[in-house]
Amino acid sequence: MVATLEVESTLTDRYQTTVPETVRLALRLGKRDKIRYTIRPSGDVVLTRAEAFEGDDPVLGQFLGFLAHDITRHPERLLSVDAGLVQRLQSLVGGVEVDLDAALSADDE
């Protein structure tokens, strides 16, 4: 039978916590590493080390974080895309084929 190790940490007034040393060691976490939280339908939360990809763009990541924060704070600002706009876009680019693996030309860089 596999033993389960349980550890605790406390939330501060600002909802921050220190990751316990046993968890940091188990996940091989260092300073500035990212943590991923997976919330299961049962309500259980699984904590894992978020792996950074070499192609990750820190500026894009910050922008996406900003968008996620703004959407969370102001969901009423979200608007759906209407069918008319979708049809217009398809009429403009519907037949265009794109090779996402092709190198960019000097003009596109």
Side-chain angles (χ1 to χ4, degrees), residues 93-100:
V93 298
V96 176
E97 295 202 19
V98 177
D99 181 359
L100 297 176

Side-chain angles (χ1 to χ4, degrees), residues 4-10 18-24 26 47:
T4 301
L5 177 63
E6 294 182 3
V7 294
E8 295 180 358
S9 64
T10 303
T18 299
V19 177
E21 180 182 19
T22 53
V23 175
R24 291 193 314 265
L47 181 80

Side-chain angles (χ1 to χ4, degrees), residues 8-49:
E8 295 180 358
S9 64
T10 303
L11 287 175
T12 68
D13 292 337
R14 294 183 57 191
Y15 297 99
Q16 296 174 336
T17 189
T18 299
V19 177
E21 180 182 19
T22 53
V23 175
R24 291 193 314 265
L25 292 172
L27 296 178
R28 300 176 328 276
L29 292 172
K31 293 181 180 181
R32 311 301 300 165
D33 282 344
K34 294 190 180 287
I35 299 170
R36 174 174 287 114
Y37 300 88
T38 304
I39 304 170
R40 296 189 173 158
S42 66
D44 292 338
V45 178
V46 178
L47 181 80
T48 55
R49 183 177 198 266

